[in-house]
Amino acid sequence: ASDASGTGSFIDNGAITYNSPGSARADRYFSQGMWHYWSMPVAGSTAAPFAGLFMRWYDEPGHLFRQITSGGYNLAPTAGYIIWSGGTNTTRGVSGFYNTGQVATPTLTSTLVSPAVYDGYNLIGNPYPSSVDWAAAGWDRTNVEPVKYSYNINQYQTYNAVTGESTNGGDQFIRPEQGFFVHVTDNTAGMVTFSITTRVHTSGSYNKKSGGLSDQLILTATANGIEDETHVVFNNSATPAFDPDYDAYKMTGSSPAPNLYSRLPGGIMAAVNWLPRTGNSQVIPLGFTCSLSGIYFLTAGNLSSFNATTQIYLEDIKENTIQNLATDPVHHFSYTAGEAPLRFLLHFSATTLGMDDPPGEKIIVYSFEDLVYVKVPVPGEISGNLRIYDLSGRQVFSRALQNLRINKFRPSIAGGLYLVKIETGLTVFSKKVFISER
């Protein structure tokens, strides 16, 4: 049974004999005005019970949803579908034999299409009339990454079966008759095998998972009454590139929803970004998009997971501001729909990641792409000049330090290795940095 309060759950305890012409029924309540991700809990049915509703399946090679137009369309038990009820709330049901035992998807694909944004996403579904635990033993995910992507009204929720990390309120459970996305490893064929050992009874609520990992920053973008999370986690088991066991891709939400993500090498958009500590200051680029213009804000959370010397700054490239998130965790900003998506940079100092500054060092110099940054202990405490020299000793850039916690310079020089020298009335400090050509 199913209604506005939830959907029933059934787990068999052995073989069921269906006396001819007996069958079981599974209902699903569809509230009006939204897409519902659905899957079929019986062994076989057509799309006929959903007449009058919009029903679609996802074509991975084509990277798009396709409409089901015939009531005779055969529905597959491990496939996911999306269903829209327009003007009214409605309850629909399918009849047949409840799925039980081991159930495997057909071959899942990863089809290269340029640009490679949605390669490898496959919409599958829970085949049982009960919830399943994505983190339980008994799964076989062949060439399929351990992150599931579930849609909840406006945004995709993620949950990683390896790390236990989730975004946007996701959890480890896949509810009865719930469709969800998985991602097949690039350029391979995959398969997911469901096992009855993963079945559980759960409530229908989605409980937001808090932090709990060390060195884990949770940033939340809020726009038009909708929230979207992105996570940045430092762990030396990870790499700067996309790590299938740790990272999660960013899947964009509904039209008015904000979309916040890390930009990984190769232009990959990540909702969860694990990367190693380098022992130096690190900069992580963040993208932000929304279909509507407005005044929005970002909130930094889980800051207590870092050590007491945490120094985390958010740079707003458009507004040319740098904000200390430890003392001011909320950033308000004006956004214009269609503007360049690379909007923010996260700055993590070496001391943030459990590293002590060298004895007596009061200035930190680091680079990101074509930018050079100089961080001083207290604004105005150190005044002087920045000079940049190429490896032949020729000066190629010079500027005065400003009364700021972090000074930012764009020298507009050829890419390569350079020596940055800071000259003050008390000391001379030098450091080699790599500067990319813009």
Side-chain angles (χ1 to χ4, degrees), residues 113-131:
V113 175
S114 182
V117 178
Y118 295 108
D119 298 348
Y121 288 101
N122 289 257
L123 181 58
I124 65 174
N126 175 7
Y128 303 124
S130 71
S131 296

Side-chain angles (χ1 to χ4, degrees), residues 155-166:
Q155 287 287 17
Y156 284 94
Q157 304 169 318
T158 70
Y159 179 83
N160 188 316
V162 172
T163 67
E165 190 175 12
S166 65

Side-chain angles (χ1 to χ4, degrees), residues 311 357-365 374-378 381-382 405 422 424 426-427 429:
Q311 297 175 29
D357 291 335
E361 185 176 60
K362 293 185 177 181
I363 302 172
I364 296 176
V365 175
V374 179
K375 184 159 71 69
V376 298
V378 179
E381 182 179 277
I382 296 178
R405 182 71 167 87
I422 306 297
T424 74
L426 302 175
T427 186
F429 173 80

